[in-house]
Amino acid sequence: MNVPSRRGFVNITGAVESAVVRSGVREGLALVNAMHITASVFINDDESGLHEDYEKWLEALAPHEPVSDYRHNETGEDNADAHLKRQVMGREVVVAVTAGKLDFGPWERIFYGEFDGRRRKRVLVKVIGE
Amino acid sequence: MNVPSRRGFVNITGAVESAVVRSGVREGLALVNAMHITASVFINDDESGLHEDYEKWLEALAPHEPVSDYRHNETGEDNADAHLKRQVMGREVVVAVTAGKLDFGPWERIFYGEFDGRRRKRVLVKVIGE
Amino acid sequence: MNVPSRRGFVNITGAVESAVVRSGVREGLALVNAMHITASVFINDDESGLHEDYEKWLEALAPHEPVSDYRHNETGEDNADAHLKRQVMGREVVVAVTAGKLDFGPWERIFYGEFDGRRRKRVLVKVIGE
């Protein structure tokens, strides 16, 4: 992942579906997690208005500024808020794989949530089963 | 699930235990998730006072009204707050299955959390192992 | 776990790594969860300033006092806030096991988060795969 802004949401459902197909697993579980601690993987709606609501809400719950309000930022970082926002949205999702596909409800889509972007990060997909 | 009010919590531990028994799995993992993006599955205490505390707290963190405060509600929905509340409480739980049973601490119970009810929704239980 | 203060964070990465090695699993998933409903297991940074930020932030989101503000505390408990804080931080993590090791990004570490300590509690580690 390489989100060009500090924060953003990216629909990664298609990439996860491809990984499930490549795994050959028909019945099992797929784990999808951010490998970085200022990012999230979560499941919700692919609706841009909702994503704006998340952005505004998370910024109210854990404001980026003033950066000096956070002890973590005394290390030279300015991303303490990103570590907090990521806890609200979560690190990972675990999705059932049934008949070789992600076993989803009607509106479930997988998103990567970036809270400290403008650099390259990775998402892990692990599929187990038979 | 069909919660007759907008919001509510339902103990689904017994239904999940039955699904584990039916699966025949003795050692493994059970995934339990809401299939809808305005609902949660979480583990906590079966205590009605605590559930009132959750309701009040979530409503303070992500108020239902004014509905016009949310961009998502411009789509004609009035449930943006439910999408936020569900992120705090989580989509899913993964529980160890040991000797054919949910491997729980003394007070762990599984709940369905509804934040936009008055219609039929589903919960998925997937058990893997041997 | 036995955290001598009401709240605290403990790095349990080494203990989980040992459990993975003992399991003999080379490819699979490791579930790590708090067995108590006023504690969390989560993944983030091993940085003491950040942990102070989490403590301050969680106390602002779900204050311990006044204890009489919570219906749950009418049962004689004083830990309603701990049940709320644990939902923000989460109950569990699921980590990929690859080539016999926890498949982690560069800064991922596993923590036990205690919100109602001064007594003995347990963490469950379940490793499945082959």
Side-chain angles (χ1 to χ4, degrees):
Chain A
M1 311 300 307
N2 200 336
V3 174
S5 50
R6 183 179 291 273
R7 292 190 291 274
F9 300 114
V10 182
N11 187 335
I12 59 172
T13 313
V16 176
E17 285 175 337
S18 298
V20 170
V21 169
R22 281 198 304 276
S23 76
V25 169
R26 301 287 299 169
E27 297 293 324
L29 297 178
L31 165 70
V32 189
N33 69 265
M35 299 187 79
H36 298 257
I37 54 190
T38 51
S40 286
V41 169
F42 66 96
I43 287 176
N44 218 294
D45 198 359
D46 193 5
E47 200 279 300
S48 62
L50 178 64
H51 297 178
E52 289 182 44
D53 294 334
Y54 278 135
E55 158 65 16
K56 182 180 163 189
W57 178 62
L58 291 167
E59 188 60 17
L61 289 180
H64 178 65
E65 296 193 320
V67 294
S68 61
D69 264 13
Y70 297 100
R71 297 292 311 270
H72 180 57
N73 292 338
E74 295 174 13
T75 63
E77 300 277 1
D78 69 349
N79 64 5
D81 65 302
H83 292 271
L84 277 54
K85 289 173 168 113
R86 117 69 171 258
Q87 290 306 123
V88 177
M89 297 304 277
R91 167 188 178 261
E92 79 220 6
V93 296
V94 179
V95 184
V97 175
T98 302
K101 291 187 175 174
L102 295 170
D103 197 343
F104 265 162
W107 300 102
E108 291 191 287
R109 300 293 179 274
I110 307 174
F111 289 89
Y112 174 75
E114 178 62 82
F115 306 114
D116 185 34
R118 298 176 295 193
R119 54 198 169 106
R120 198 168 157 269
K121 295 187 181 177
R122 289 181 302 152
V123 168
L124 180 151
V125 182
K126 187 92 178 181
V127 188
I128 68 164
E130 54 194 28
Chain B
M1 311 300 305
N2 199 338
V3 174
S5 51
R6 182 179 292 273
R7 294 190 291 273
F9 300 115
V10 182
N11 187 335
I12 59 172
T13 312
V16 176
E17 285 174 336
S18 299
V20 169
V21 170
R22 279 197 306 276
S23 75
V25 169
R26 301 287 300 169
E27 296 293 325
L29 297 178
L31 165 71
V32 190
N33 69 265
M35 299 187 79
H36 297 258
I37 53 189
T38 51
S40 287
V41 169
F42 66 96
I43 287 176
N44 219 295
D45 198 0
D46 192 6
E47 200 279 298
S48 62
L50 179 64
H51 297 179
E52 288 182 45
D53 294 333
Y54 278 136
E55 159 64 16
K56 182 180 164 189
W57 178 62
L58 291 167
E59 188 59 17
L61 289 181
H64 178 63
E65 297 193 321
V67 294
S68 61
D69 263 13
Y70 297 102
R71 296 294 309 272
H72 180 58
N73 292 338
E74 296 174 11
T75 63
E77 301 277 1
D78 69 350
N79 65 4
D81 66 301
H83 292 271
L84 277 53
K85 289 172 168 113
R86 117 72 169 254
Q87 290 307 124
V88 176
M89 298 302 279
R91 166 188 179 261
E92 79 220 6
V93 296
V94 178
V95 184
V97 175
T98 302
K101 292 187 174 175
L102 294 170
D103 196 343
F104 266 161
W107 300 102
E108 291 192 287
R109 300 294 179 275
I110 308 174
F111 290 88
Y112 174 76
E114 178 63 82
F115 306 114
D116 184 33
R118 299 177 294 194
R119 54 198 169 105
R120 198 168 157 269
K121 295 187 181 178
R122 289 182 301 153
V123 168
L124 179 151
V125 182
K126 187 91 178 183
V127 187
I128 68 164
E130 56 194 24
Chain C
M1 310 302 307
N2 200 337
V3 174
S5 50
R6 182 179 290 274
R7 292 189 291 274
F9 300 114
V10 182
N11 186 336
I12 59 171
T13 313
V16 176
E17 284 174 337
S18 298
V20 169
V21 169
R22 280 198 305 276
S23 76
V25 169
R26 301 286 299 169
E27 297 292 325
L29 297 178
L31 166 70
V32 189
N33 68 265
M35 298 187 79
H36 298 256
I37 54 190
T38 52
S40 286
V41 169
F42 67 96
I43 287 177
N44 218 295
D45 198 0
D46 193 5
E47 200 279 299
S48 61
L50 179 64
H51 297 179
E52 288 182 45
D53 294 333
Y54 278 136
E55 159 64 16
K56 182 180 164 190
W57 178 62
L58 291 168
E59 187 60 16
L61 289 181
H64 178 64
E65 296 193 320
V67 295
S68 61
D69 264 12
Y70 297 101
R71 295 293 309 272
H72 180 58
N73 292 338
E74 296 174 12
T75 63
E77 301 277 1
D78 68 351
N79 64 5
D81 65 302
H83 292 271
L84 277 53
K85 289 171 168 114
R86 117 74 168 255
Q87 291 305 123
V88 176
M89 298 303 278
R91 167 187 178 262
E92 79 219 8
V93 296
V94 179
V95 184
V97 175
T98 301
K101 292 188 174 175
L102 294 170
D103 196 343
F104 265 163
W107 300 101
E108 291 192 287
R109 299 295 179 272
I110 307 175
F111 290 89
Y112 175 76
E114 178 62 81
F115 306 113
D116 184 34
R118 300 177 293 194
R119 55 199 169 106
R120 197 167 159 269
K121 295 187 181 179
R122 289 182 302 152
V123 168
L124 180 151
V125 182
K126 187 91 178 181
V127 188
I128 67 164
E130 56 193 27

